[in-house]
Amino acid sequence: MSEIPEALRYTKTHEWVRTMDDGHLEVGITDHAQEMMGDMVFVELPDVGDSVVAGQDCAVVESVKAASDVYAPISGEIVEINDTLRDSPEFVNQHPYEGGWLFRVRPTEESELENLLNAEAYSDVAAAEA
Amino acid sequence: MNQKTALFDIHRKAGAKLVEFGGWDMPLHYGSQIREHLAVRQDAGMFDVSHMSRVDLRGPAVRPFLRRLLANNVDKLVLPGKALYSCMLNEQGGVIDDLITYYLADDWFRLVINAATRDTDLVWMREQAGRLDGVELAHRADLSMIAVQGPQARDKTFAALGEAVEAAASPLPAFVAVDVDGYFVARTGYTGEDGFEIVLANERAPAAWEALRETGVVPCGLGARDTLRLEAGMNLYGSDMDTTTTPLESALGWTVAWEPEDRDFVGRDALERQREHGLTRKLVGLVLMDKGVLRSHQSVHWQGCGAGEITSGSFSPTLGRSIALARVSASLQIGDTCQVRIRDKLLNAKVVKHPFVRRGKSCLNEI
């Protein structure tokens, strides 16, 4: 069974969200998602300064098997991207919740956070697909 | 309900991620496709390829039958055990399947055909044989097949399967098979590495697999098999060619035996017409110059125009960049730079000679 940390929030499309001390939100894909996709070989990230809209695709992760869109869990502005993934996309497999984070967002619609799933609700989503 | 090989339970217990392929439940990988890929390039890996069908043809008319059935010429096969790669064409020159033919005796040849094409192949072959007396066709569902590939594949196979196999199989030249101790051992493969493909009775397959694993041969899934064959520049039926393409348009012209001129194989007239008129499209290798991953069906552009489509594409674990086979306009030449549309971007790719990787080493000159 894949790891689903209690402290994070999730989407049905397998992104995770961490609220950081400065109020920004860190986004990645879940352990379940990386397991389903297999070895990552390429990550395409948005640019810093880009606006993203909740539910719209804003990044792409590619494994040996396939390319998969990453959807913005929340609307806002991209304030930072994980540049180390350009040369080490395997971090998404190895540390999906730490070194494998994708981008950080300054949210514009804080209320959207309420639409996200907690760990228990997400584990039902993951289990239904496994 | 998909078909299952004799090794299915072993794959499941080993934690394989299973996928449907050609009507079979097969392992995609056992954890990491890239690790399995590199095991084959650097050491030894094994694949359950029992989903491919083995068809035995027996009878006095088998050789004349195959001389007509296949675009390559079985008369090249004079040494018992020798194998020949060939396309089987329809009258229009389209590829019904690509297959390997082993010459076992003058009245006995063995074909290994693809899983997804098995039923159409058997119907086609029976139809073609119907015009000849003296050809019996037997689908050998009682046999399994294990491919052991990599620089250490031979030594590890000998350690696992015993001295009799070693004595018989160690002198085998490339593309030759020998029957020993109930194992049909062929020095063939689909990875660009040395190794064997071993055909054996279904009930012996699990013990052989376990023995190979105990000598350190790494179980590998179809995922690694696909990236290995792509690096080795080998076509995949259904992706790189099918009934709508001829071998000449599929970089398989070398498998068409034009001589002797009076050998009337199925599809010959169509291929000769195509050769006379010249090709409008061909299959080439591409290497992506930018970061990204080439995938099948992405469009290829050249000098501002659409110039074709990728037929197989992937990240190459050996080269650390993306490679592809693409069917493009015949005007593209090796060394040309073209563009591939990946999502909303046009990225630069270079037309190269393939294979991309052979015996663990890059075949690409500095690019």
Side-chain angles (χ1 to χ4, degrees), chain A residues 94-115:
Chain A
Q94 293 163 356
H95 315 287
Y97 299 113
E98 297 294 337
W101 65 276
L102 300 177
F103 53 84
R104 292 173 180 152
V105 185
R106 179 187 298 122
T108 47
E109 302 285 341
E110 297 273 5
S111 63
E112 286 174 353
L113 270 172
E114 291 163 23
N115 301 334

Side-chain angles (χ1 to χ4, degrees), chain A residues 56-104:
Chain A
Q56 294 195 356
D57 57 298
C58 65
V60 179
V61 285
E62 296 209 36
S63 70
V64 271
K65 200 168 75 179
S68 185
D69 287 325
V70 177
Y71 299 93
I74 194 157
S75 305
E77 184 196 337
I78 301 290
V79 291
E80 202 175 341
I81 57 171
N82 187 357
D83 258 327
T84 60
L85 299 182
R86 279 186 211 285
D87 291 320
S88 302
E90 67 275 11
F91 286 178
V92 175
N93 297 114
Q94 293 163 356
H95 315 287
Y97 299 113
E98 297 294 337
W101 65 276
L102 300 177
F103 53 84
R104 292 173 180 152

Side-chain angles (χ1 to χ4, degrees), chain A residues 35-36 38-42 44 60 62-67 69 86-87, chain B residues 17 28-29 31-35 227 291-293 295 314-315 342-343 345:
Chain A
E35 232 170 54
M36 298 292 283
D39 296 320
M40 294 297 168
V41 294
F42 179 65
E44 190 176 297
V60 179
E62 296 209 36
S63 70
V64 271
K65 200 168 75 179
D69 287 325
R86 279 186 211 285
D87 291 320
Chain B
K17 180 168 170 55
L28 180 65
H29 61 74
S32 167
Q33 178 176 329
I34 289 181
R35 202 168 59 229
T227 47
K291 285 215 170 214
V293 186
R295 308 275 184 193
S314 180
F315 175 79
I342 302 181
R343 293 179 284 280
K345 292 189 183 111

